[in-house]
Amino acid sequence: MFAHAGMPLSRTGDFPGDPGLCGPGSVSWRVIGDVSVFVGGIRALLIQAAHPEVVAGVDDHSRYRDDPLGRLSRTSFYVTSATYGAMPEVVEAVELVKAAHQGVSGTSHRGRSYSASAPELAAWVHNTLTDSFLEAYQRFGGRLSAAEADRFVAEQARAGEMLGASPLPATAAELRAWIGAHPALAPSPGMRAAIRFLQRPPISTAQRAGYQVLMNGAITTIPRRLSAVLGLAAPPGARAAAAAMTLGLRRVMMNSPAWQAALERCGAPYDPRLFRDKRNGATA
């Protein structure tokens, strides 16, 4: 996943005892450490494309068609570092995102100006990512109580604040409502291009088969209004197939090695059976 960007948490042992933004008792470490994060990541990319100005910025300035694995690696680096990193690693990851957004501006197909640094556009990207990780975990991971879901949103909002995103809903229900009722959403040329790319990414045939199952599972979790804007519908049995695949992935991959590295940095006790043996090739 990180072959096209720096390895996150490579120096995390240099900051013993630093809990970072979230810490060992957080809901974020549990949610983002689960394999359902793969479904959440696909879902976020799909939903983000429904905002014409956000997707215009991606379409006009990103090299995702030429370097899709690079963009994925950089996004994964940010999410992993912001969630599990010590504070110096969190700050570094946030500053890299801010630097990448500098100069990303222009005009969308409907004549509206955009800037990737604008608080409201940063909020769309951040909030849809938070909501997607949460929704994917609730459907394909474990089950969180309403209080735990709200804690997850609050924990993730700390990173959103550092990015300059606004507004940042305070609860899971408020987050879901803000996304579902967002007034700016509409189909656009950039959206259609992004959807086509996400439907057929440049990966091997064998990889695409598994990816398609996860993508269809992600589509089943998108609210009806958003899926209508995106023009997406999942085939029958998509949710059951995605649930079976995430279960299989969980048994093979277990929990995120970044979570394990963060626990070790903090000196927090944990059950090593929840993680792959590092001697078998797992790295943080």
Side-chain angles (χ1 to χ4, degrees):
M1 184 177 296
F2 303 109
H4 297 256
M7 180 66 70
L9 276 61
S10 61
R11 298 183 298 108
T12 205
D14 295 343
F15 310 103
D18 187 331
L21 275 182
C22 303
S26 67
V27 181
S28 290
W29 283 18
R30 192 188 341 160
V31 170
I32 296 179
D34 185 71
V35 296
S36 59
V37 74
F38 299 138
V39 178
I42 297 170
R43 182 185 191 268
L45 292 174
L46 293 170
I47 293 178
Q48 286 165 6
H51 193 303
E53 284 64 57
V54 169
V55 79
V58 174
D59 200 44
D60 293 344
H61 296 272
S62 173
R63 295 178 56 242
Y64 76 89
R65 295 185 187 87
D66 302 323
D67 185 26
L69 295 181
R71 186 167 188 266
L72 173 63
S73 294
R74 290 186 289 274
T75 301
S76 300
F77 179 93
Y78 164 73
V79 171
T80 302
S81 298
T83 302
Y84 295 108
M87 280 311 301
E89 295 172 304
V90 175
V91 171
E92 178 187 20
V94 169
E95 290 305 314
L96 284 172
V97 171
K98 287 183 175 180
H101 287 171
Q102 290 296 318
V104 177
S105 59
T107 304
S108 70
H109 80 289
R110 57 185 179 182
R112 297 185 187 179
S113 62
Y114 67 80
S115 169
S117 300
E120 62 273 17
L121 298 191
W124 177 252
V125 175
H126 171 83
N127 289 335
T128 53
L129 191 62
T130 297
D131 181 69
S132 291
F133 286 151
L134 177 59
E135 189 69 17
Y137 186 80
Q138 295 284 57
R139 302 291 184 92
F140 302 109
R143 289 294 299 178
L144 301 177
S145 67
E148 288 174 324
D150 289 346
R151 278 178 55 201
F152 177 74
V153 172
E155 290 163 5
Q156 292 298 303
R158 297 170 194 163
E161 290 171 359
M162 293 179 68
L163 286 168
S166 180
L168 296 167
T171 68
E174 290 173 7
L175 177 62
R176 191 177 305 114
W178 181 85
I179 292 171
H182 201 289
L185 309 186
S188 69
M191 182 203 81
R192 287 185 280 272
I195 295 297
R196 285 196 300 270
F197 182 85
L198 289 168
Q199 287 175 327
R200 291 193 63 81
I203 54 180
S204 71
T205 302
Q207 290 171 327
R208 186 175 292 122
Y211 168 85
Q212 192 65 55
V213 171
L214 297 178
M215 182 177 184
N216 288 338
I219 293 170
T220 69
T221 72
I222 297 176
R224 185 170 300 175
R225 182 206 169 204
L226 282 171
S227 59
V229 171
L230 294 165
L232 294 172
R239 182 167 297 179
M245 174 160 282
T246 52
L247 179 60
L249 288 172
R250 190 175 295 112
R251 288 174 175 168
V252 172
M253 300 180 70
M254 306 186 78
N255 290 305
S256 168
W259 182 7
Q260 183 181 20
L263 288 165
E264 291 177 350
R265 182 189 71 238
C266 293
Y270 67 90
D271 185 348
R273 293 173 298 180
L274 299 176
F275 302 91
R276 289 181 63 193
D277 189 332
K278 291 180 182 177
R279 292 170 298 181
N280 291 333
T283 61

